Amino acid sequence: MIRCDEPRGLGVPDAEARLRFEAEPQRSGGRTGRRLLVVDGEPAFELSYWCGTCPLLFRRLVTANQKLSLEDLREQLTGTLAEPGDGGVIDAFGALLPQGEYLPVLLRVEPRLVIPGREGDYFSGEQVDSSGIDQFWGLPEYPHTPYYRTFETAVDASAHLYEFVVPMVPPTWNDRERVEEYVELMDRGAVPTAVAVSTLDVCEPAIAFGDDQSQHWGLTHFLLDGHHKLEAAATAGRPVQLLSLLALGEGLASADDCARLPALRAQPRSARTQGPAAQGSSPADPR
């Protein structure tokens, strides 16, 4: 299931926004600093590097310790939204975000919890197949957080879409009783709603490497509300609804790429066919 509104202006001035996207000042030699997701004035996640030829990335930083749930909407979001704009949810969460254009997309996802370095980890699996390991560290990228994988599909013969849901704080911080409450609700057929601000990054290796030379489209949903719901859905093997507010202009993707997302997200799920995981190193990271 997917429902999509037209892009709309949302948000408040940067100084008032609890969440915003920032770029660090240029480093020596004129290189652009890191792209960051900032929460309550503190860097929370490092994002994919500007060049688009470095690997896809969301890396939790030590100052990421805040959720952005709205308790006034807790009861409403315990149920299913029929449309993205139902009940003023978009405007309520839009007040947490910086001014900009956002594409509201309402999805139904079946999350699978992934631990970095273990089975199903994108960073030590598909990304290594495409880009190799980091030349400096001699290791795959490491996101410093568990995360959820929810969907993937082919963009075309040379590109593949990967979807992730990233909690602002680890699932181990969740209240066990609330997780169990949502498990029980889902077992009775409820499909509660989570809310996220999302980015689309289109990345591809600068130099041919390994068996998979595809472009990687990373659709990354950073949870604003729904940490307990996502863990419960992953635990119970149940679906959850996700209202994504896609931040247009904040990812490494063109307007045309972003416009294709609803149609791509409506396709059947399909994994990319890959050869054996590549061994070796990727080009030096310009960061």
Side-chain angles (χ1 to χ4, degrees):
M1 183 198 77
I2 177 170
R3 291 188 174 88
C4 181
D5 272 4
E6 293 297 318
R8 63 173 72 182
L10 293 173
V12 296
D14 280 5
E16 301 172 22
R18 291 195 62 192
L19 179 149
R20 60 182 184 270
F21 299 91
E22 290 187 1
E24 289 183 328
Q26 287 188 337
R27 301 179 180 182
S28 59
R31 292 181 300 174
T32 305
R34 299 178 300 174
R35 291 172 62 227
L36 298 171
L37 181 69
V38 174
V39 176
D40 289 339
E42 296 286 353
F45 284 87
E46 180 183 356
L47 308 179
S48 307
Y49 193 68
W50 291 100
C51 64
T53 57
C54 289
L56 177 72
L57 180 66
F58 51 84
R59 178 180 289 133
R60 183 170 177 251
L61 304 175
V62 294
T63 44
N65 55 21
Q66 294 293 328
K67 300 179 185 179
L68 295 173
S69 301
L70 297 179
E71 286 300 317
D72 290 347
L73 296 177
R74 180 176 176 180
E75 183 175 350
Q76 182 178 350
L77 294 176
T78 299
T80 303
L81 299 182
E83 298 293 338
D86 280 1
V89 173
I90 291 175
D91 289 335
F93 281 96
L96 304 176
L97 305 177
Q99 286 178 336
E101 287 287 308
Y102 295 84
L103 177 66
V105 184
L106 192 59
L107 305 167
R108 182 169 290 202
V109 300
E110 296 180 9
R112 174 167 52 98
L113 182 63
V114 172
I115 306 299
R118 298 186 185 177
E119 183 180 357
D121 177 28
Y122 164 82
F123 296 97
S124 57
E126 292 97 331
Q127 190 174 89
V128 171
D129 289 343
S130 179
S131 302
I133 59 177
D134 183 273
Q135 184 178 16
F136 180 81
W137 296 109
L139 296 167
E141 293 286 355
Y142 193 77
H144 289 278
T145 184
Y147 61 94
Y148 300 94
R149 293 192 67 167
T150 49
F151 183 76
E152 61 176 292
T153 195
V155 176
D156 54 37
S158 61
H160 203 76
L161 173 69
Y162 300 92
E163 182 179 68
F164 313 95
V165 179
V166 182
M168 289 290 182
V169 298
T172 52
W173 291 23
N174 290 339
D175 180 89
R176 296 299 101 200
E177 290 187 5
R178 284 190 63 185
V179 172
E180 288 303 318
E181 287 173 5
Y182 281 117
V183 168
E184 292 176 8
L185 280 173
M186 292 176 187
D187 283 343
R188 296 199 297 268
V191 182
T193 303
V195 183
V197 62
S198 310
T199 58
L200 176 64
D201 289 346
V202 176
C203 302
E204 60 184 324
I207 300 173
F209 182 88
D211 298 316
D212 176 11
Q213 297 308 310
S214 64
Q215 234 180 29
H216 288 208
W217 290 38
L219 177 57
T220 307
H221 306 291
F222 295 94
L223 273 181
L224 302 176
D225 184 281
H227 289 71
H228 297 89
K229 299 166 190 172
L230 263 291
E231 185 183 354
T235 299
R238 299 286 186 176
V240 66
Q241 195 175 59
L242 179 67
L243 174 59
S244 162
L245 302 177
L246 179 66
L248 303 176
E250 296 294 353
L252 305 180
S254 69
D256 288 342
D257 293 337
C258 292
R260 294 184 62 187
L261 269 181
L264 290 170
R265 193 52 183 74
Q267 292 181 175
R269 180 194 307 266
S270 63
R272 182 162 180 82
T273 302
Q274 300 175 356
Q279 302 294 321
S281 300
S282 63
D285 187 332
R287 289 176 288 179

